[in-house]
């Protein structure tokens, strides 16, 4: 059995639902064979979110950690490639903090790359008939913050753990006018399951392009 | 039993697959209760497509006709509201014709509205957890052409038939870079099934907004 | 001299500015040679807007009427092709009315086509180095309402007048996050001037495609 | 006088024109007061582009370097925040190389942040009435490659130089169907001039958010 930790976020920005947590819960109901799945809901609060994540990593004994967040407006599931050492909040977090141009970790490196097999994860979702691609920015709000916090934790003391971040689209109910992309919670959960399976079973990532021209 | 005709298009524009036909075929495998479903694949050829559609309506004895086409780039399933009497082709059809600013039917009215319950159809897809909205343009290529042809057929001689047009997004395999929205064929087929059910069972459409600011 | 009426809308939907009116005002400051330009600001109120438009047509003695509105999110200036006989308001107008699935004109035809040379207008904007295209939907809110009202007025009693509708993008100040397209007011005004010139001087429209696949 | 180097790229991906070079040339014709402007066109060839950039930095004695590239599909001018140590090419470069998941500089840090005052640069463009925002990814093709190469050059031996990267949208002529954002070459050149002025005159960057939620 491989211990896997899957995290989502609580709702934010006025929405009553966060697709990341809805999909994580649904995916956890039927884990892939050979995987012991633990879940955690992270608060939309700078630094508290990382503290909660560290506890969850500790408690779960996770060998693989996949953090999940909402990327409203993106047209598919995106597996993030790189976390940057920057908080720049367009809106306040749930405790009212709104850091602008501050590092996630003072003195930390400018960035960390994901240690998930990102190309294999994308391929697994696409093999399931669902839209996915690699992304090269997780933004500068809570998602990137947690992603950087995770990779810093791994780099500074848990070398055996592999980890990364996945962004998921809006749910249809969050886009009443239908003018932005969205995806059913069932499809998002299937995508997360495919990613967890790929992360657990892939030792060397695929050597195929997932690049962006810009 | 209600006789329903569901049509899709053959592949075009260099793509080896057309999500409209793939989803129509999949939806036809498990029709809603009380529905007898006939399918037809229309050619991407001006006027021939309408001729094929008329034959299919005749042969099937359809009481409800739902024509389906691909709208690459749209973020969900869209139920079309209005067909206009205009062909303006950005690319040639499969016989090389490329009409510019010509009417679909010489002397026909400027437009026909769908006689499907468009709001109820959208609501049914959204109730199934999938993205959908009303659209107010079916373009000026084959989709609008067939939609106008269908409504003209109904208006000029088949008053008992109700009909309309549904646009569906790309499949994930048509968007290798993931930079445009797409939807799994399974989800598209589920959406079509929900639309057929709503079309068959709804007598008065919902009175709720599906409007666009522009 | 050709008398041209150019209309814009007052601000709406919580925005303090409406690019249509800002650009109309700026364009009116330097009319093309041979053109006598009158402007009018229309209220964001169903039916009142059409009444105000009719007065302005009357007072100005306009031979060409170009109504302009905001299409937030569109990536360039769009010259509308067709007005439909449908009000379906996603938000209330400034007097609180929110018609859903009602005709603009009871008993009117389903649609009217623009009588501006839409292709020549688009070409003129593009020749000025600015983004433009033909659009096949003006939505179902005030813009389409006014466009339909204009074409109905022309069809029912002013056969010598030519008229149509142009949608313009957001101004940069309306998109603080930069995540949607926008255009400087100066560029929008240049585009309107190019459209007025083309409308006045073109007798037969260009025979070139401006179609949409969907 | 401050020496500024402004670079653009040669055309690529089948396009006969590259807006970055067209706008750089136009901006160079009227440099801001107090600025001595040198330009260079970089080849779309991995590593050769960096070599050409190093020569141009050397020859120009530049104190400020602004590299410019095309980001087709983006709705405004974007000032890049971070360069990552990753080449992942979706298409081959002009010598046929297509690196996948290789570092720009072997052994280099994961990322470098821009040393331009990115917030002040964005504000300057917006003050000129044009659309701009901060971006947190320059992609994984030549633009990011050159950006990383520039920052590595500065970090490893030219501490007095400040530098960064700016992405510009398509020109209208590159988007014949009008379905993607574009901007006139004149507006892009004005934006670059505003950025150069801001970069030269701003010593401490603005403390205001330019963040992205994702």
């Amino acid at each position: 059995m491989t211990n896997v930790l899957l995290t989502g976020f609580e709702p934010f920005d006025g929405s009553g639902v966060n697709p990341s947590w809805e999909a994580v819960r649904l995916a956890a109901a039927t884990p892939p064979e050979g995987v012991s799945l633990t879940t955690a809901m992270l608060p939309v609060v700078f630094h508290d979110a990382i503290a909660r994540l560290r506890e969850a990593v500790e408690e779960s004994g996770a060998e693989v950690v996949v953090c999940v967040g909402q990327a409203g407006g993106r047209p598919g599931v995106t597996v993030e490639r790189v976390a940057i050492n920057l908080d720049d909040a367009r809106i306040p977090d749930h405790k009212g903090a709104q850091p602008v141009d501050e590092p996630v970790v003072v003195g930390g490196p400018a960035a960390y790359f994901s240690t998930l097999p990102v190309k294999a994860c994308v391929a697994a979702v696409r093999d399931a008939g669902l839209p996915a691609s690699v992304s090269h920015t997780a933004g500068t709000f809570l998602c990137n913050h947690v992603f950087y916090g995770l990779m810093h934790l791994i780099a500074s003391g848990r070398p055996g753990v592999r980890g990364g971040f996945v962004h998921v689209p809006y749910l249809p109910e969050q886009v009443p006018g239908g003018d932005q992309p969205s995806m059913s919670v069932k499809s998002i959960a299937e995508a997360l399951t495919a990613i967890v399976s790929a992360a657990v079973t892939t030792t060397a990532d695929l050597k195929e392009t997932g690049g962006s021209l810009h």
Side-chain angles (χ1 to χ4, degrees), chain A:
Chain A
M1 293 294 274
T2 306
N3 287 328
V4 174
L5 173 64
L6 204 53
T7 74
F9 280 100
E10 60 183 1
F12 75 107
D13 203 14
S15 186
V17 70
N18 191 315
S20 67
W21 179 244
E22 300 305 317
V24 160
R25 278 207 308 187
L26 190 55
T30 52
E33 213 180 325
V35 169
S36 169
L37 208 53
T38 307
T39 64
M41 186 173 77
L42 305 183
V44 176
V45 179
F46 284 101
H47 301 294
D48 287 9
I50 293 177
R52 177 74 195 90
L53 173 66
R54 295 176 81 109
E55 282 171 18
V57 171
E58 185 76 28
E59 289 161 14
S60 63
E63 296 149 273
V64 172
V65 182
V66 180
C67 296
V68 184
Q70 165 187 309
R74 290 204 187 161
V77 169
T78 47
V79 183
E80 295 294 344
R81 186 83 193 229
V82 62
I84 63 174
N85 194 11
L86 179 71
D87 289 336
D88 187 0
R90 183 170 296 284
I91 57 174
D93 71 14
H94 285 175
K95 283 192 173 167
Q98 191 175 1
V100 170
D101 295 352
E102 296 178 10
V104 180
V105 174
V106 178
Y112 287 110
F113 286 105
S114 175
T115 51
L116 296 181
V118 294
K119 304 291 178 71
C121 291
V122 166
V125 178
R126 296 180 71 93
D127 285 350
L130 297 164
S133 58
V134 178
S135 163
H136 303 95
T137 176
T140 59
F141 193 55
L142 258 294
C143 292
N144 175 72
H145 180 84
V146 157
F147 182 16
Y148 188 92
L150 169 65
M151 301 319 293
H152 190 69
L153 168 65
I154 291 173
S156 51
R158 296 200 163 257
V161 176
R162 288 188 297 156
F165 198 95
V166 173
H167 262 125
V168 300
Y170 280 134
L171 300 179
E173 65 198 80
Q174 295 177 286
V175 192
D179 51 351
Q180 294 205 73
S182 63
M183 211 165 147
S184 71
V185 66
K186 205 172 133 217
S187 290
I188 300 177
E190 284 173 18
L192 294 183
T193 300
I195 286 169
V196 167
S197 291
V200 164
T201 58
T202 309
T203 47
D205 197 6
L206 302 178
K207 191 79 177 179
E208 61 185 30
T209 184
S212 319
L213 294 184
H214 60 80

